[in-house]
Amino acid sequence: MTAYKDKDFGERLSTAAAARKATLERFRAKPGPDDPAVAERRAARQALVVAREARVAEREAARKAEKAHEAAREEEAARQAAEQTDRDAALEAERKAARDARYAARKARR
C-alpha cells in the first residue's frame, strides 16, 4: 500500500490553475453559433420540431374527423330510432283502428 503524500500549498494551487486552464480550453474549443456543424444540428432539430408539429396536427385532424363521423353515426341512429317510433305508432294506430272496427261490427250484429 502506498503512503499518503501531503501536497504542499503551491502544488495544490498549480493543480487548481491547471484544472481552470483545462476547463477554459474545453470551453474555447466548443464551436460557436456560426459554425457549420452547429447550424446543421440546429437545422436538424428544427426539422424534427416541424415534423412533430405536423404529426400532432395530423392526429388532431384525424380526431376531429372521427368525432364528426361519430356525431353523424349518432344522428343517423337517432333518425332511425325516430322513424321506428313513428312506424310503431302508426302500426299501433292501425291495430287500434282494426280493433275498433271489430268492436263496431260486433255491436252492429247485435
Side-chain angles (χ1 to χ4, degrees), residues 49-110:
V49 167
V50 168
R52 184 178 307 120
E53 288 173 353
R55 286 192 309 269
V56 166
E58 185 178 309
R59 279 195 302 266
E60 185 64 29
R63 219 176 279 131
K64 285 181 182 178
E66 179 60 31
K67 190 180 274 188
H69 185 67
E70 182 65 30
R73 279 193 301 225
E74 288 176 3
E75 187 176 317
E76 178 65 21
R79 187 187 61 76
Q80 287 178 353
E83 286 177 359
Q84 183 65 38
T85 303
D86 290 345
R87 282 194 301 268
D88 290 347
L91 183 61
E92 189 62 34
E94 188 179 310
R95 286 180 186 161
K96 185 177 184 315
R99 186 180 69 226
D100 290 347
R102 283 194 313 270
Y103 290 159
R106 191 177 316 147
K107 283 208 174 224
R109 282 189 297 229
R110 287 188 187 172

Side-chain angles (χ1 to χ4, degrees), residues 8-82:
D8 63 349
F9 185 70
E11 201 174 331
R12 287 188 308 216
L13 279 178
S14 65
T15 304
R20 279 194 303 274
K21 185 177 179 183
T23 302
L24 184 61
E25 288 302 317
R26 276 197 312 259
F27 178 75
R28 286 183 180 158
K30 286 185 180 179
D34 58 342
D35 190 273
V38 171
E40 183 178 328
R41 283 195 305 268
R42 188 180 311 123
R45 280 194 305 269
Q46 185 63 30
L48 287 175
V49 167
V50 168
R52 184 178 307 120
E53 288 173 353
R55 286 192 309 269
V56 166
E58 185 178 309
R59 279 195 302 266
E60 185 64 29
R63 219 176 279 131
K64 285 181 182 178
E66 179 60 31
K67 190 180 274 188
H69 185 67
E70 182 65 30
R73 279 193 301 225
E74 288 176 3
E75 187 176 317
E76 178 65 21
R79 187 187 61 76
Q80 287 178 353

